[in-house]
Amino acid sequence: MSVTTASSPDSPDTPEPSGSPGPSGTARTSGRTPRLPRVPFWAQILLGLVLGVLLGWAARTWDVAWLAATLERTGGLFVQLLKLAVAPLVFFAILVSITNLRKVNNAARLASRTLLWFMATSLIAVAIGLTIGLLTNPGAGTGLTPADGARPESAGSWLDFLTGIVPANVITPFTELNVLQIVFMAAVAGIAALKIGEPARPVLEFSESVLALLQKALWWVIRLAPLGTAGLIGNAIAAYGWDLIGKYATFTADVYIGCALVMFGVYPLLLATVAKVSPLQFYRGAWPAIQLAFVSRSSVGTMPVTQRVTERLGVPREYASFAVPFGATTKMDGCAAVYPALAAIFIAEIFGVQLGIGDYLLIVFVSVIGSAATAGLTGATVMLTLTLSTLGLPLEGVGLLLAIDPVLDMMRTATNVAGQSAVPIVVAAREKILDREAYDSATLFDPVGPDAGPGAGSSPEGGAGREPVGAAAGRA
């Protein structure tokens, strides 16, 4: 009598080859269907990118209206799903991250060092943007005129930026998705919880549970990134075609080259010389977050993956849970440094305005201090209008760049996220709390693989079991 048993630890997961001898010595045929190999997430993204280009080209070349509409709705729905989680995710992530600092030795020192490194890398990034812009004159030869511009629907100024930090009520920031005001409220709530102490524990436990729930839901959205990529890229090509990129060729190349110099030049140099770690290992571990940022164009939407890869690269969870959300809302080397520097030079050339040394220093000041205005959402229009208003340049110049913005925003956001992971590694290494063994053994993380998801840990193969923050520093 034959008996069928469930698979056990001693049982192989794969079926025996067809025709292999069974227990009785006779050949038997396996009844299992061979599993198809799982496609890695990076390959899915690449496939979505290629598919989007082909579908967008087909929709534009043969004027296939239904295909263009489908691509637009697919990409729009993906971005909408990301934005749906932004407001509560930012609030609870910032609140929990601040309260988690109570578990970290020298929390104030870590927070201040993180902010200083954010500002230092922003200073380098804006200097790179200005240098490239002055060398290439991106506004020359485009054929664009001031008449081609249009004022944005909303503009930013220093008064709006400073007064807009404090919300009029606790509801409006969530309904209008004002991330800066949400960050302010979360920071106040987190600091208050630290001051209250034990009576605030129920609130903190509730916040941690809600954050875990939001991150889990966002992981489901992240799984849709290949479809979102096809929709977003396809819609951009169907709507604007290749002619648009040709008109903005110099400016587009400047933004991509500037961001590439920051992402593949500045960050590796800091990792090698300051953190004393392998830059190649950093990109091996952080690439899933950088890749997702490129296609989603949202630092906040990528934040769970960014935090996950940062922890896997040896940054203690207690510190990473503060530094990554903080960076996702304020650390914008692509959107708030490289891009506004180049855009200001581009717009000044189109409108025939001569910029001087004082103007360039103002661009540096705005980029370093005002980066929180970008607030981690897709697009950097608010930051650009803040820069233009500070320089006295016409805000109609914003309209010159709106059409090309989706193409630029992919590289800008990838640069943002690379910095949001690299800086915590540099700070952790400087403070001697970086788990170098975990860093050196971190593997390419698949966001849709079996070890994906929030709370999966951050040790070499996941993150549990790391010693408390400060223990390594105590031994050093």
Side-chain angles (χ1 to χ4, degrees):
M1 180 178 65
S2 63
V3 179
T4 303
T5 58
S7 61
S8 66
D10 296 327
S11 302
D13 290 331
T14 56
E16 295 182 14
S18 178
S20 61
S24 61
T26 59
R28 69 179 182 183
T29 303
S30 172
R32 294 186 181 180
T33 303
R35 291 183 179 180
L36 294 175
R38 186 172 57 84
V39 180
F41 187 66
W42 65 266
Q44 296 179 33
I45 293 290
L46 183 61
L47 182 61
L49 189 66
V50 173
L51 185 62
V53 169
L54 293 176
L55 293 177
W57 174 79
R60 184 173 181 85
T61 302
W62 290 295
D63 195 21
V64 186
W66 66 266
L67 180 56
T70 301
L71 292 170
E72 180 181 8
R73 288 170 186 154
T74 302
L77 181 59
F78 177 66
V79 173
Q80 187 176 343
L81 287 171
L82 286 176
K83 287 186 174 182
L84 183 64
V86 163
L89 180 66
V90 169
F91 180 83
F92 287 105
I94 295 294
L95 190 158
V96 171
S97 67
I98 290 176
T99 58
N100 277 343
L101 287 177
R102 73 187 187 277
K103 306 174 185 176
V104 182
N105 294 337
N106 298 321
R109 176 185 172 90
L110 277 175
S112 61
R113 290 298 176 90
T114 303
L115 179 60
L116 287 174
W117 276 107
F118 280 174
M119 296 175 67
T121 51
S122 294
L123 181 63
I124 298 171
V126 71
I128 289 175
L130 287 173
T131 302
I132 293 175
L134 292 174
L135 290 175
T136 61
N137 297 318
T142 61
L144 297 171
T145 66
D148 296 317
R151 291 181 68 90
E153 296 180 1
S154 60
S157 67
W158 280 106
L159 182 61
D160 294 334
F161 174 65
L162 295 174
T163 59
I165 294 177
V166 182
N169 56 70
V170 297
I171 303 298
T172 303
F174 291 91
T175 57
E176 297 183 355
L177 205 57
N178 189 320
V179 177
L180 194 58
Q181 293 181 351
I182 295 173
V183 170
F184 173 80
M185 292 192 300
V188 171
I191 295 171
L194 286 177
K195 294 293 185 181
I196 292 174
E198 189 62 27
R201 180 174 295 276
V203 175
L204 297 182
E205 292 176 350
F206 170 77
S207 299
E208 290 172 353
S209 298
V210 173
L211 180 60
L213 184 150
L214 290 169
Q215 288 179 329
K216 185 63 176 179
L218 196 54
W219 279 100
W220 294 338
V221 177
I222 289 170
R223 289 175 176 268
L224 300 175
L227 289 176
T229 301
L232 291 169
I233 298 298
N235 178 57
I237 293 177
Y240 305 116
W242 300 110
D243 295 339
L244 180 71
I245 297 185
K247 186 181 294 186
Y248 291 88
T250 302
F251 182 72
T252 302
D254 284 354
V255 172
Y256 270 71
I257 291 172
C259 288
L261 287 174
V262 174
M263 185 162 45
F264 300 113
V266 175
Y267 298 152
L269 186 62
L270 290 176
L271 290 167
T273 60
V274 179
K276 310 286 188 193
V277 295
S278 168
L280 290 178
Q281 180 65 12
F282 166 75
Y283 288 104
R284 185 184 184 194
W287 191 253
I290 297 171
Q291 177 184 248
L292 181 62
F294 183 84
V295 297
S296 69
R297 298 165 45 215
S298 172
S299 294
V300 172
T302 310
M303 186 169 65
V305 181
T306 308
Q307 182 172 333
R308 179 81 168 88
V309 300
T310 304
E311 291 174 3
R312 286 172 60 89
L313 285 166
V315 177
R317 178 173 298 173
E318 295 84 356
Y319 170 53
S321 66
F322 161 77
V324 172
F326 182 43
T329 52
T330 60
K331 172 66 175 166
M332 304 286 168
D333 287 346
C335 290
V338 174
Y339 174 70
L342 287 167
I345 294 174
F346 176 86
I347 292 170
E349 291 178 349
I350 297 296
F351 282 84
V353 178
Q354 187 69 33
L355 298 179
I357 297 296
D359 296 312
Y360 298 131
L361 292 177
L362 279 176
I363 294 174
V364 172
F365 175 79
V366 174
S367 298
V368 174
I369 304 299
S371 60
T374 54
L377 296 177
T378 55
T381 302
V382 174
M383 185 64 192
L384 180 55
T385 58
L386 181 62
T387 304
L388 296 181
S389 62
T390 302
L391 297 174
L393 291 173
L395 294 181
E396 286 79 4
V398 176
L400 295 171
L401 299 173
L402 289 180
I404 196 68
D405 191 72
V407 176
L408 304 177
D409 202 26
M410 294 188 293
M411 188 62 171
R412 294 188 317 229
T413 309
T415 306
N416 296 343
V417 168
Q420 291 158 16
S421 181
V423 168
I425 293 173
V426 171
V427 174
R430 293 274 296 177
E431 297 301 312
K432 296 182 173 57
I433 60 174
L434 180 69
D435 187 340
R436 293 180 180 271
E437 183 180 348
Y439 183 94
D440 292 335
S441 60
T443 56
L444 184 62
F445 164 57
D446 191 342
V448 298
D451 62 342
S458 55
S459 63
E461 291 301 326
R466 179 174 300 150
E467 59 192 1
V469 179
R475 292 197 316 268

